[in-house]
């Protein structure tokens, strides 16, 4: 895997190309529109989430305006509000470990890269290592992509600043394409404040990503295909399926794909083929499948930032207003408060980057997009299979596999404050001492080792502090090689 050049500093910078003046009311309208669109989108796609894997969603989408309240319990929103809370309490340049600690100790369930950074916190693996492939099999996953909206909201017309923040925040839980997903979404919002041509916004946001990254190349494929085939989004979807939609590395042997760049491409399909119509944008990005609540949430959030809160059709808004003062799950923040907080953050960021505020007028020193550093995860590492275990660790004994890497997925149950300590051995040599607190998560990567010599290996475990009331369940073994092999689909 290719390493980046280190976190770029300072976080705040000035790169003047022109100045743009907008009113406070316009800025408030766009910020509120973005948050409202995000909330509408996640509630719209929620009934379809992961019900179309490797295929388009063709059933009816059962959504009515009253369902917008469902978004109050969605991780697309309460996770990034938790990150915003850290920023408010500890400042805009709070250390990365503070954010990781907030995710690690929160009372809500997490998934994929986020739940792994939670485990890494208890293993004393802190950012940026907590998001790196060596310590997080989900480095390329969608997590940061669905949590980066707040960065875009506070960086109107300032994609360089958004990129700096995305580089800093994204490496808490992701790496490579997983970070680029958040950087791209944040840049889309940043550009959406100052222009209304969707294709131009997408093309400018892409300039925030390195040209050699897979994420940028997949979005370029969507743009090119749309230009040649502007009337049939299903053909664009099929192009992506044929060229890009292989099972991502954390889900070998399935069609389940949580990879950031494929789901990011579905956002762009929705925006381009939706042609500025929120109904079409929501339906298309949802029917693309896979993580089909997150993708319409991002697409609708970006579109509503372009158009503003005041322009969202009444059909989508009539029940949203009824919940704007209700707190999101696991937070002390309502939708109305997020509007105000993001507006406050945006004013602070505008002034930090050379802009000014005079009465009702806000002058933004606009920035030209500059690519974030290039890095790529999991080079030379190919998933070759999944072996079901379904055993408690006490009954597992030794485990033999052939390849260059292995990951054991599972979960731990026990007393609330119990923390298991388990040593993992490969071929008789200790590899790690895992720290496993009990929790609410249905799956976590318990133990892993990559970059072994190709060949047969034997894995054993030693539970250092067994408790009669605790259970460590091993669900599956994910096996990897240094050469690609056919992957059977379930």
């Amino acid at each position: 895997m290719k390493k980046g050049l280190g976190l770029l500093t300072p976080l705040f910078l000035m790169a003047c190309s022109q100045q743009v003046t907008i009113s406070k009311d316009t800025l408030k309208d766009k910020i509120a529109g973005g948050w409202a669109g995000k909330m509408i989108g996640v509630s719209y796609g929620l009934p379809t989430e992961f019900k179309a894997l490797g295929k388009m969603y063709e059933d009816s989408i059962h959504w009515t305006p009253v369902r917008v309240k469902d978004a109050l319990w969605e991780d697309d929103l309460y996770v990034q509000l938790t990150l915003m809370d850290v920023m408010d309490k500890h400042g805009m340049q709070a250390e990365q470990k503070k954010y990781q600690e907030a995710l690690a100790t929160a009372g809500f369930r997490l998934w994929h890269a986020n739940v792994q950074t939670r485990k890494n916190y208890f293993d004393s693996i802190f950012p940026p290592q907590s998001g790196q492939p060596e310590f997080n099999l989900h480095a390329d996953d969608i997590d940061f992509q669905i949590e980066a909206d707040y960065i875009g909201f506070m960086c109107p017309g300032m994609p360089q600043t958004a990129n700096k923040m995305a580089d800093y925040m994204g490496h808490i839980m992701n790496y490579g394409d997983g970070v680029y997903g958040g950087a791209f979404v944040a840049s889309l919002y940043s550009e959406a404040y100052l222009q209304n041509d969707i294709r131009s916004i997408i093309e400018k946001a892409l300039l925030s990503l390195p040209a050699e990254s897979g994420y940028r190349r997949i979005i370029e494929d969507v743009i090119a295909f749309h230009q040649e085939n502007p009337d049939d989004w299903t053909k664009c979807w099929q192009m992506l399926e044929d060229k890009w939609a292989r099972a991502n590395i954390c889900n070998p042997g399935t069609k389940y794909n949580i990879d950031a760049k494929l789901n990011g491409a579905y956002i762009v399909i929705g925006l381009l083929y939706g042609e500025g119509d929120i109904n079409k944008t929501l339906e298309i990005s949802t029917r693309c499948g896979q993580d089909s609540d997150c993708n319409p949430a991002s697409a609708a959030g970006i579109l509503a930032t372009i158009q503003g809160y005041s322009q969202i059709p009444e059909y989508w808004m009539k029940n949203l207003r009824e919940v704007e003062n209700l707190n999101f799950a696991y937070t002390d923040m309502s939708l109305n408060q997020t509007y105000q907080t993001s507006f406050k953050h945006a004013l602070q960021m505008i002034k930090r980057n050379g802009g000014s505020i005079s009465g009702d007028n806000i002058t933004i020193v606009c920035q030209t997009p500059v690519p974030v550093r290039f890095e790529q995860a999991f080079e030379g590492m190919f998933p070759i299979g999944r072996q079901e275990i379904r055993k408690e660790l006490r009954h597992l004994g030794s485990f033999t596999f052939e390849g260059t890497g292995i990951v054991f997925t599972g979960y731990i149950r026990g007393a609330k404050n119990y923390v298991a300590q388990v040593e993992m051995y490969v071929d008789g040599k200790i590899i790690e001492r895992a720290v496993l607190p009990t929790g609410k998560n249905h799956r976590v990567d318990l133990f892993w080792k990559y970059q072994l010599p190709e060949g047969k290996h034997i894995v054993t475990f030693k539970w250092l502090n067994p408790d009669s009331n605790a259970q460590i369940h091993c669900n599956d073994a994910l096996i990897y090689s240094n050469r690609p092999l056919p992957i059977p689909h379930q």
Side-chain angles (χ1 to χ4, degrees):
M1 60 197 69
K2 296 181 181 177
K3 299 292 185 183
L5 299 177
L7 289 172
L8 302 174
T9 54
L11 182 58
F12 309 107
L13 68 149
M14 292 167 51
C16 177
S17 58
Q18 61 175 329
Q19 294 185 359
V20 173
T21 299
I22 64 173
S23 70
K24 286 184 177 179
D25 285 345
T26 297
L27 183 61
K28 289 178 180 177
D29 190 55
K30 287 181 174 291
I31 288 173
W35 279 117
K38 174 92 174 178
M39 192 154 173
I40 291 166
V42 73
S43 69
Y44 181 85
L46 184 59
T48 75
E49 184 182 21
F50 295 118
K51 291 184 178 178
L53 305 180
K55 60 182 180 180
M56 289 172 276
Y57 188 83
E58 297 180 347
D59 295 339
S60 297
I61 299 174
H62 301 290
W63 191 88
T64 58
V66 71
R67 296 202 65 167
V68 73
K69 70 178 184 301
D70 295 343
L72 293 170
W73 290 274
E74 283 303 297
D75 61 324
D76 298 64
L77 290 150
Y78 63 69
V79 173
Q80 64 178 302
L81 295 184
T82 299
L83 300 177
M84 284 176 62
D85 184 60
V86 174
M87 181 183 294
D88 278 344
K89 289 179 178 176
H90 301 284
M92 285 190 173
Q93 291 184 296
E95 62 176 322
Q96 290 170 306
K97 186 179 175 182
K98 287 287 186 184
Y99 293 100
Q100 184 193 23
E101 180 182 19
L103 295 179
T105 58
F108 46 74
R109 289 175 63 179
L110 292 169
W111 292 265
H112 296 280
N114 281 333
V115 76
Q116 212 57 41
T117 204
R118 171 180 280 174
K119 179 182 182 299
N120 285 342
Y121 176 83
F122 292 105
D123 280 343
S124 298
I125 301 170
F126 304 121
Q129 287 76 23
S130 54
Q132 289 178 355
E134 297 96 322
F135 305 106
N136 200 323
L137 186 69
H138 307 269
D140 280 339
D141 286 357
I142 199 174
D143 303 62
F144 182 54
Q145 179 166 289
I146 69 173
E147 298 155 7
D149 309 76
Y150 79 99
I151 295 174
F153 291 139
M154 64 194 291
C155 296
M158 298 179 290
Q160 285 192 38
T161 301
N163 235 15
K164 298 289 184 180
M165 293 186 68
D167 183 74
Y168 186 77
M169 295 296 299
H171 284 92
I172 295 168
M173 70 290 288
N174 286 97
Y175 185 90
D177 282 340
V179 173
Y180 301 150
F184 180 58
V185 166
S187 292
L188 285 169
Y189 281 112
S190 184
E191 299 293 345
Y193 281 103
L194 303 181
Q195 56 179 314
N196 57 18
D197 182 82
I198 291 173
R199 179 171 169 178
S200 177
I201 289 169
I202 294 168
E203 290 177 338
K204 286 201 70 175
L206 263 190
L207 298 178
S208 292
L209 306 185
E212 59 267 55
S213 67
Y215 201 108
R216 180 161 167 175
R217 288 185 287 113
I218 194 173
I219 303 301
E220 288 172 340
D221 279 355
V222 174
I223 295 170
F225 195 93
H226 173 260
Q227 186 172 6
E228 296 175 5
N229 304 270
D231 300 321
D232 190 348
W233 70 268
T234 64
K235 292 180 179 177
C236 188
W237 182 93
Q238 191 61 56
M239 177 274 294
L240 290 174
E241 185 69 15
D242 294 342
K243 184 174 180 179
W244 291 96
R246 54 195 176 275
N248 61 324
I249 202 159
C250 71
N251 289 288
T254 77
K255 291 185 178 182
Y256 176 91
N257 199 319
I258 197 67
D259 183 80
K261 61 181 175 290
L262 179 67
N263 286 278
Y266 294 159
I267 296 170
V268 175
I269 287 181
L271 287 169
L272 288 175
Y273 286 91
E275 300 177 320
D277 182 284
I278 190 170
N279 300 45
K280 289 174 62 178
T281 299
L282 284 167
E283 181 172 3
I284 291 169
S285 53
T286 298
R287 291 195 180 280
C288 284
Q290 296 293 351
D291 201 345
S292 55
D293 62 338
C294 296
N295 301 329
S298 296
I302 292 156
L303 180 61
T305 302
I306 297 170
Q307 298 175 348
Y309 181 95
S310 58
Q311 298 303 307
I312 300 174
E314 181 62 19
Y315 172 76
W316 302 101
M317 290 296 297
K318 57 186 178 182
N319 289 100
L320 184 137
R321 296 190 188 94
E322 297 174 2
V323 301
E324 284 181 314
N325 284 319
L326 300 179
N327 285 349
F328 289 94
Y330 309 104
T331 79
D332 296 319
M333 187 173 288
S334 68
L335 189 56
N336 270 329
Q337 289 171 306
T338 66
Y339 303 155
Q340 297 165 16
T341 300
S342 288
F343 180 70
K344 176 189 73 175
H345 289 166
L347 294 182
Q348 292 173 347
M349 196 64 79
I350 288 166
K351 289 192 287 186
R352 285 175 180 265
N353 286 275
S356 61
I357 301 166
S358 178
D360 289 331
N361 292 323
I362 301 169
T363 299
I364 300 170
V365 178
C366 302
Q367 298 169 355
T368 301
V370 174
V372 73
R373 60 194 175 156
F374 175 64
E375 58 190 22
Q376 183 173 328
F378 307 114
E379 288 185 290
M381 181 175 164
F382 301 95
I384 60 172
R386 173 193 299 264
Q387 184 169 333
E388 185 177 285
I389 298 176
R390 301 292 189 269
K391 289 183 179 180
E392 208 272 331
L393 189 70
R394 291 181 178 89
H395 308 299
L396 180 58
S398 62
F399 186 91
T400 301
F401 74 99
E402 190 163 348
T404 61
I406 190 165
V407 176
F408 292 90
T409 71
Y411 58 92
I412 177 171
R413 288 176 176 166
K416 182 177 180 181
N417 296 319
Y418 175 70
V419 179
Q421 296 183 32
V422 182
E423 291 178 343
M424 175 185 179
Y425 294 79
V426 177
D427 302 328
K429 296 181 180 179
I430 187 169
I431 298 299
E432 67 164 332
R433 176 178 289 185
V435 179
L436 305 171
T438 55
K440 299 178 180 179
N441 298 292
H442 68 290
R443 172 196 155 168
V444 69
D445 297 337
L446 297 170
F447 317 101
W448 64 87
K449 177 60 181 175
Y450 320 141
Q451 300 175 336
L452 293 164
E454 182 71 55
K456 185 174 290 186
H457 302 281
I458 300 174
V459 182
T460 56
F461 300 96
K462 184 177 181 180
W463 193 344
L464 301 180
N465 62 336
D467 184 285
S468 58
N469 296 315
Q471 296 178 319
I472 301 175
H473 293 267
C474 292
N475 290 342
D476 301 284
L478 314 181
I479 302 170
Y480 301 85
S481 175
N482 60 11
R483 57 184 183 271
L485 294 174
I487 303 174
H489 288 278
Q490 293 178 351

